Amino acid sequence: MTTRLMRAFVLTAPGKYTVHEVPAPVAAPGEAVIDVDRVGVCGTDMEFFTGAMAYLHQGHSSYPMRLGHEWAGRVAAVGAGVDPVWVGRRVMGDTMLGCGVCRRCRRGHQHVCEKRQEVGIRGERPGALAEQLAVPVTSLHVLPDSVDAVLGALVEPGGNALRAARAAAPRPGDRALVLGPGTIGLLVAMFLRAAGTEVHLMGLADNSLVFARELGFTCVWTEDSVPDLPFDAVVDASNAAHLPGLALELVEPAGRVVYVGLAGEPSGIDTRRLALKDVTAVGVLSASPGLADTIRAYADGSVDPRPLVAATIGLDQVGPVLAGDRPTGAGPGPKIHVDPRIS
């Protein structure tokens, strides 16, 4: 029997990669094989490219590896025990794949399972930077017709952002400050705006702030120009180690701080200030509990993140993008998408 081949982007070492043919996946029992339509390039992928990703040093990941965890596609085949009705469905998938039997999984917290795999990230589960990938059918979410492939590949980052926005517990008339106008920060701002919150954004004095204004966010600041206003919630969606502490300083007493960004080095907060201000602090790791509601928000148009996508490239252009190059003709948005079918 001849082994089917497909093209894939394979990261072989820090800064080293190849695009070549690899064996196409075969659906194991309980799995589905997906024809990939779109994949988002994420900051996590860039950390693997540089070798800075903590999982590499903790033994959870190793080279060679296939990246890609923000994806949308169509079910091409299913394995034993899977209803064939799945074939042909347009889907996206959860990144976090718990073991299914531990206490955390049984309590519905599979995204923090100690033995979890993460698609394209952890546990040698290949990602979507390829023409096809295989995942458990239980991880799939069906995409309605109104959620195209571009939106489908934005569901995973959107789920993280939705959870962060909800953790801010917004009420109509509340004022929230989002630190970091990257993909996640802008998505958080969109979900907060949809909830009726007065949204402020803080970032560096560069094109990201100009782009935020183009998205309709008029209250946009740099760190030295944030106004002296009561912020009922502050969401840190940055990678700056000092901003978690600043979030705590800026939030209103009895407010909420939400940490969804990750710095490359340890950050600190003064828990005395946390207690004396009676502040609630929430950390957000995963999109998993927010995926279904994110799809609904995209489907009904209450949140439309399409403008965040600056360009769509092929597999051969992924390496330069991970190295920091901007595709020729890219728009102002922070997100780059990949279509594995582009040659």
Side-chain angles (χ1 to χ4, degrees):
M1 182 176 177
T2 303
T3 300
R4 269 192 325 113
L5 299 176
M6 66 172 184
R7 294 182 77 237
F9 176 91
V10 181
L11 188 62
T12 57
K16 305 292 184 182
Y17 61 90
T18 180
V19 178
H20 65 273
E21 289 190 331
V22 301
V26 176
E31 288 190 342
V33 170
I34 313 297
D35 287 332
V36 179
D37 291 329
R38 289 289 188 282
V39 193
V41 177
C42 174
T44 300
D45 300 325
M46 293 182 173
E47 289 186 11
F48 278 116
F49 185 82
T50 64
M53 177 60 183
Y55 282 177
L56 291 168
H57 310 289
Q58 296 166 349
H60 297 309
S61 307
S62 62
Y63 304 110
M65 62 186 304
R66 189 189 309 155
L67 304 172
H69 61 278
E70 304 174 359
W71 61 268
R74 190 180 296 271
V75 177
V78 295
V82 179
D83 192 331
V85 73
W86 278 98
V87 176
R89 285 179 173 173
R90 296 179 52 254
V91 295
M92 63 77 56
D94 195 344
T95 299
M96 307 301 213
L97 309 178
C99 70
V101 297
C102 70
R103 183 176 185 270
R104 295 174 191 174
C105 287
R106 295 197 310 272
R107 292 167 67 89
H109 304 314
Q110 52 87 24
H111 59 290
V112 289
C113 169
E114 185 68 27
K115 298 179 181 178
R116 69 184 180 275
Q117 294 182 320
E118 298 179 26
V119 175
I121 297 175
R122 169 174 165 150
E124 299 183 353
R125 170 67 70 164
L129 281 177
E131 294 176 329
Q132 291 186 320
L133 84 159
V135 292
V137 73
T138 53
S139 70
L140 298 179
H141 291 256
V142 176
L143 299 175
D145 291 341
S146 56
V147 178
D148 61 14
V150 175
L151 287 175
L154 287 165
V155 171
E156 201 278 342
N160 280 282
L162 173 61
R163 291 191 64 214
R166 286 182 170 173
R171 297 171 297 181
D174 275 4
R175 180 183 293 115
L177 174 64
V178 180
L179 310 181
T183 297
I184 297 297
L186 290 171
L187 282 164
V188 172
M190 288 179 175
F191 280 110
L192 286 170
R193 180 170 62 185
T197 304
E198 177 187 314
V199 180
H200 294 242
L201 281 152
M202 189 197 89
L204 300 174
D206 59 13
N207 292 337
S208 64
L209 296 183
V210 174
F211 180 63
R213 292 190 183 95
E214 292 175 355
L215 294 176
F217 296 104
T218 57
C219 301
V220 178
W221 319 103
T222 58
E223 187 170 341
D224 58 2
S225 69
V226 175
D228 184 15
L229 293 171
F231 293 107
D232 302 292
V234 179
V235 180
D236 175 24
S238 77
N239 59 3
H242 73 287
L243 289 188
L246 181 63
L248 183 54
E249 289 182 23
L250 294 174
V251 74
E252 184 76 351
R256 300 174 74 87
V257 290
V258 183
Y259 298 113
V260 65
L262 291 174
E265 59 187 81
S267 55
I269 61 172
D270 186 343
T271 57
R272 296 169 299 178
R273 184 178 291 264
L274 183 77
L276 293 172
K277 292 182 72 170
D278 198 31
V279 166
T280 299
V282 182
V284 174
L285 168 67
S286 163
S288 301
L291 294 174
D293 286 345
T294 298
I295 292 171
R296 280 189 281 270
Y298 291 177
D300 66 25
S302 56
V303 172
D304 182 5
R306 286 183 184 90
L308 302 184
V309 180
T312 301
I313 61 174
L315 290 172
D316 292 320
Q317 296 172 276
V318 171
V321 166
L322 291 175
D325 292 346
R326 192 87 171 161
T328 302
K335 178 62 68 175
I336 303 298
H337 271 181
V338 181
D339 182 344
R341 299 165 298 187
I342 296 176
S343 58

